[in-house]
């Protein structure tokens, strides 16, 4: 029934200006602030995410946005040079010093947070 209608996903932040700067300047995404003050992220594949301000914002404790990348190590290095801090996890997903979890099957992942504390991931594989 809903297959013919456009869809988008949303999540919140407590700081719209810092979030706008992060997604646009640090991550290099196209970002627009709409008439309601929400951020609209235009993502590859004709996808859209909307980020809205919430006074009692609590970061999601799960990954809200995944980026499929090639050469995860280079992307991690580039983002670290821009000040992005990657999460460090122990077993069973254990990350290396850079924050990359190397999967022998090929799905390498690195997690980081946006200014609202929401978890984002880079996935290679």
């Amino acid at each position: 029934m809903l297959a013919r209608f456009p869809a988008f996903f949303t999540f919140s932040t407590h700081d719209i200006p810092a979030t706008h700067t992060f997604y646009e300047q640090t991550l290099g995404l196209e970002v627009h602030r709409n008439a309601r003050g929400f951020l609209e992220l235009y993502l590859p594949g004709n996808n859209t995410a909307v980020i809205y301000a919430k006074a009692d914002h609590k970061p999601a404790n799960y990954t809200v946005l995944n980026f499929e990348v090639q050469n995860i190590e280079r992307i991690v290095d580039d983002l670290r040079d821009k000040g992005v801090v990657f999460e460090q996890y122990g077993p069973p997903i254990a990350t290396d010093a850079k924050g990359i979890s190397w999967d022998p099957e090929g799905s390498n992942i690195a997690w980081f947070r946006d200014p609202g504390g929401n978890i984002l991931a880079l996935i290679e594989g």
Side-chain angles (χ1 to χ4, degrees):
M1 178 175 158
L2 297 179
R4 63 186 174 167
F5 298 103
F8 62 93
F9 61 96
T10 65
F11 53 96
S12 69
T13 189
H14 65 286
D15 188 340
I16 288 288
T19 300
H20 188 160
T21 298
F22 177 79
Y23 281 94
E24 186 172 69
Q25 293 180 12
T26 304
L27 301 186
L29 297 173
E30 183 180 349
V31 181
H32 296 277
R33 196 161 180 174
N34 69 23
R36 299 172 107 183
F38 300 169
L39 299 179
E40 296 176 352
L41 306 180
Y42 297 96
L43 304 166
N46 202 29
N47 295 304
T48 305
V50 174
I51 304 172
Y52 59 94
K54 187 173 178 189
D56 62 344
H57 166 74
K58 291 182 181 48
N61 61 2
Y62 53 87
T63 306
V64 298
L65 185 57
N66 297 283
F67 296 92
E68 293 181 56
V69 301
Q70 296 176 355
N71 195 343
I72 193 170
E73 194 163 17
R74 182 181 54 78
I75 302 280
V76 166
D77 288 344
D78 289 349
L79 288 173
R80 285 170 58 116
D81 287 347
K82 292 181 174 191
V84 173
V85 175
F86 284 82
E87 298 293 298
Q88 294 293 314
Y89 296 117
I93 58 175
T95 54
D96 67 10
K98 289 185 177 184
I100 302 170
S101 175
W102 297 98
D103 181 346
E105 310 250 341
S107 293
N108 306 317
I109 304 175
W111 295 269
F112 60 102
R113 294 180 183 265
D114 72 5
N118 297 304
I119 301 169
L120 312 177
L122 305 175
I123 301 174
E124 173 192 69

